[in-house]
Amino acid sequence: EDLRAELSNSFVIGDNVCDIELGRRIGATTILVRTGYGARTEREKKTEPDYVVENLFEAASLIKGIVEKDDANQISTGA
């Protein structure tokens, strides 16, 4: 089934350069987690994620906040 996802409204979470670069190429919001290879990836500065967080829980909290803010903006503008 084709879900026709709007990739620019998506998030890519990862701990490596290839994860963040994939997200950037598809126009998604990118989040680098410092777990796994993430701390090294951040130190090497070979990519520029939109956000950097400590772990997946923080990534989920960040996404929730972004989505709630976007929802509130759409309600206030009548979009």
Side-chain angles (χ1 to χ4, degrees):
E1 179 179 333
D2 183 7
L3 299 177
R4 299 190 191 278
E6 185 64 42
L7 296 177
S8 62
N9 292 330
S10 300
F11 296 86
V12 173
I13 303 168
D15 67 345
N16 215 322
V17 172
C18 63
D19 303 323
I20 302 306
E21 292 307 307
L22 167 80
R24 295 184 79 67
R25 280 195 298 274
I26 65 170
T29 299
T30 57
I31 304 171
L32 177 70
V33 290
R34 290 186 176 123
T35 55
Y37 297 106
R40 183 186 74 196
T41 301
E42 182 182 24
R43 275 192 314 273
E44 291 174 352
K45 299 184 189 278
K46 292 182 180 178
T47 190
E48 295 184 27
D50 296 305
Y51 299 94
V52 178
V53 297
E54 291 298 322
N55 53 47
L56 286 174
F57 179 79
E58 285 188 17
S61 296
L62 173 66
I63 292 169
K64 182 176 186 247
I66 291 169
V67 169
E68 287 174 350
K69 180 180 174 187
D70 286 349
D71 287 348
N73 287 341
Q74 286 180 7
I75 291 169
S76 68
T77 62

